[in-house]
DNA sequence: GACGTTAGTTCAACTTGTGAACCTATAGTT
DNA sequence: AACTATAGGTTCACAAGTTGAACTAACGTC
């Protein structure tokens, strides 16, 4: 059973302040009067809390609105310049660092390309730290103004006293990236799996907005999923929930690169599709190759749709989401052409009641939202705690 | 995102009181002093709150314990006789009503058998209402002392302003059982799917105790699962989460009674196993038949273990639970003999990291815990709200 | 300029958890 | 039997929180 923590009157304030801030962030600008309706709090509380937030410079006034025959409403909004957040995407071929303001407008970015199979952790950590300095300089943002750094990495991110990362393809086995970052910067650091941060991005700013129960499916060369239950990303016992790609859909199926057989990824992952369509293994431009396969209307495509529909149907039956988003570069390509067929296949393999409760749609943020999602981890923390900026020296 | 409700100082009390009560229920008896450590609350708060609870008769003193050289500790515990809860199991062949005290000791029970394909809702509702009267009379418990009635039913339970039940096999399509019960009794009524109530029972009182992330798998003639995430049973958008039985594990597999093909249930459900083993369809004593198949060491068994292991592996990869419980009459029979093989098969088909975070064990409560679990719904509500008993007339 | 209307603020009242001081009940010691 | 040490439990002033009611502020209209 869930054991809630001891609560004191101060926690009430923390919780309500966070709720007020989230309301302003997503439904703002709004007047104090409107906020009473949106939050359920009394006018008195709204008054004192907005006073605090204004004093902290976390929110600002945003013009007035006439109210016929009475005092005009003063609109309030989150101050987009109050602080900045940094998102990092550590991928197969590059390390990308992006700087955002609180409204997630990109202020600066820098890319470092990685040579294939040169993913030494020291190198990656150096690139990240250098990238942070570069985007801060480019964006003319002092480090004290940064709320934190979110990092999306491949593999399994084991949360604990020290964040450890296990990523076979990078040769990382229990790499303490969190500790390494803390050694190089005093900014708060948040690390998560890149597929999860991308799911987080779609959930907060993409096609998943407002969903309480959703699954964001990512199809690239690998296949993963972000499961959202009750508005929160599901992490499981050791933060590896969402490994959808290695769901077995046949007892003795195709060989998968994970070593197993019959994994979904071996059928609907980009590599799996190309291999099944007979594309030569030396091909480097996978996107173009997948595009040609999709145009060719080969029977492999029909099969892919069937497998994908089946995989989605299993998610629908087991998790009963209200929305399923398809993302990732390959997912978006397949979905753009074949969404109706995918929906049909999912319908055919799922139970009527949960299928009817679900809508299957494409992601909105494109295939490059890992850094945005990683930065969102920082934003989430800020909106929840709404702690005023402090020096990060001790964190 | 999860939008917490507005909170006031009174909610703090409600939450802390609920936590204190749950602590006493599961870790009790305990002295006030121990409770400060267990709950994190100060001695002062514990003192006033236990005072309230004692005055309400919700908790009682339970003897003393010497403390060397000091004042002895007075032990406190939940008063098992403070109230009673009723659990109902609506199954294919019977309606069972059980009366429990707060410690879930069974005080009375009554069984009504149902004739095959005679599941008219009016009949079932009459049986439930009659059963409530019977167990109250047998147990000599006045109706005012009952905290509520929990009912476990087959099919999908659609929660909303009016609870509607969809159960194909019973011919129920949007049956308003909740409203029908309210017409016949003033007791608070809680309705859920029987597989979920059984999962709830294992989670609270069986092999799932203390687990935050778990899956309780039910294998009978049908196959279902209760997914527990963060200590809470996952329900999804329309309360149908957990339909694991119709997970597709082959693109064009065995015909399932749901109309689909390749459902897990068609392979590892009791019927599916018996059919695959060539047991004549007229057989009535399925348990004996399954027992013979298991003893025969037919290759069908090996296959069943492989499919079950694969199904469990998919749960492990996707949900990353810390524990998986196998229950249901068929699940317990299979598991008793073949658990090591099942574990091996699950290991073979899942990723190492999440597999190592999971333990796969058998349920502890046997195959008849639906009514207990249904009663647990009432208990859960009581422990959370810890509202003193009131007359139920208006509920 | 008076008035009505709507927005926002202030304040006393109430609720809650906490630390410090205090009371209570036992065993051991004189 | 009285005293002391020890540990459990209670009481109370205080800080912090939300709220309804009274109050102030800022506008349009007549």
């Amino acid at each position: 059973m869930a054991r809630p923590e001891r609560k004191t009157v101060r926690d009430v304030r923390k919780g309500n302040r966070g709720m007020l801030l989230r309301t302003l962030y997503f439904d703002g600008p709004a007047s104090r009067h409107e906020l009473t309706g949106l939050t359920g709090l009394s006018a008195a509380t709204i008054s004192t809390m907005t006073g605090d937030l204004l004093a902290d410079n976390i929110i600002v006034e945003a013009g007035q609105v006439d109210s016929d025959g009475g005092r005009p409403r003063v609109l309030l909004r989150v101050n987009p310049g109050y602080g900045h957040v940094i998102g990092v995407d550590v991928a197969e071929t590059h390390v990308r660092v992006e700087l955002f303001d609180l409204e997630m407008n990109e202020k600066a970015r820098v890319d470092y390309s990685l040579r294939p199979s040169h993913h030494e952790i020291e190198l990656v950590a150096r690139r990240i730290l250098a990238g942070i300095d570069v985007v801060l300089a480019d964006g003319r943002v002092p480090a004290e103004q940064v709320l934190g750094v979110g990092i999306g990495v491949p593999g399994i991110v084991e949360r604990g006293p020290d964040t450890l990362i296990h990523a076979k393809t990078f040769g990382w086995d229990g790499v303490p990236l969190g500790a390494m970052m803390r050694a190089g910067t005093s900014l708060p650091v948040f690390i998560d799996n890149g597929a999860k941060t991308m799911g987080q991005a779609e959930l907060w700013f993409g096609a998943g907005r407002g969903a309480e129960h959703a699954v964001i499916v990512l199809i690239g060369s690998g296949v993963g999923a972000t499961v959202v239950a009750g508005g929160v990303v599901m992490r499981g016992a050791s933060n590896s929930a969402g490994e959808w790609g290695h769901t077995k859909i046949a007892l003795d199926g195709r060989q998968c690169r994970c070593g197993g057989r019959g994994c979904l990824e071996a059928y609907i992952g980009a590599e799996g599709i190309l291999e099944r369509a007979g594309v030569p293994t030396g091909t480097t431009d996978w996107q173009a190759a997948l595009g040609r396969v999709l145009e060719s209307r080969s029977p492999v495509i029909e099969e892919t749709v069937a497998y994908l529909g089946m995989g989605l149907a299993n998610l629908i039956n087991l998790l009963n989401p209200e929305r399923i988003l398809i993302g990732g570069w390959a997912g978006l390509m397949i979905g753009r052409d074949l969404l109706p067929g995918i929906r049909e296949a999912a319908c055919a393999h799922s139970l009527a009641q949960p299928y009817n409760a679900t809508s299957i749609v494409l992601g909105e943020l494109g295939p490059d939202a890992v850094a945005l999602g990683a930065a969102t981890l920082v934003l989430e923390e800020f909106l929840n705690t709404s702690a005023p900026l402090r020096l990060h020296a001790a964190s």
Side-chain angles (χ1 to χ4, degrees), chain A residues 352-376:
Chain A
Q353 207 265 358
Y355 178 78
N356 290 328
T358 306
S359 57
I360 302 177
V361 298
L362 292 186
E364 285 176 1
L365 300 180
D368 282 331
V370 171
L372 173 64
T376 305

Side-chain angles (χ1 to χ4, degrees), chain A residues 111-133:
Chain A
D111 257 302
Y112 297 101
S113 55
L114 291 179
R115 273 174 305 167
S117 61
H118 272 71
H119 300 112
E120 296 84 6
I121 179 63
E122 292 81 10
L123 177 69
V124 170
R126 267 205 310 279
R127 293 283 185 265
I128 295 174
L129 291 170
I132 292 173
D133 289 340

Side-chain angles (χ1 to χ4, degrees), chain A residues 148-206:
Chain A
V149 180
I151 307 176
V153 298
I156 290 173
V157 177
E158 196 182 331
R159 297 190 159 190
D162 240 25
T163 308
L164 299 178
I165 304 170
H166 309 267
K168 258 191 189 170
T169 49
F170 275 35
W172 293 1
D173 186 17
V175 161
L177 182 58
M180 295 177 71
M181 294 307 293
R182 276 200 303 280
T185 174
S186 61
L187 295 172
V189 173
F190 302 80
I191 305 176
D192 208 343
N193 171 277
K196 278 211 190 72
T197 69
M198 192 146 164
Q200 174 105 357
E202 285 285 354
L203 181 68
W204 280 54
F205 302 106

Side-chain angles (χ1 to χ4, degrees), chain A residues 221-289:
Chain A
S221 77
V223 170
T226 304
V227 178
V228 176
V232 178
V233 174
M234 191 169 167
R235 306 192 167 279
S238 50
N239 200 28
S240 85
E243 284 292 349
W244 184 55
H246 302 289
T247 298
K248 288 346 181 234
I249 54 166
L251 190 49
D252 275 306
R254 276 176 63 81
Q255 180 71 45
C256 176
R257 58 178 178 173
C258 79
R261 288 186 162 278
C263 296
L264 187 61
E265 183 168 309
Y267 295 89
I268 69 166
E271 257 180 288
I273 298 174
L274 295 182
E275 274 178 30
R276 279 164 46 235
V279 174
T281 48
T283 311
T284 50
D285 190 345
W286 288 6
Q287 303 204 15

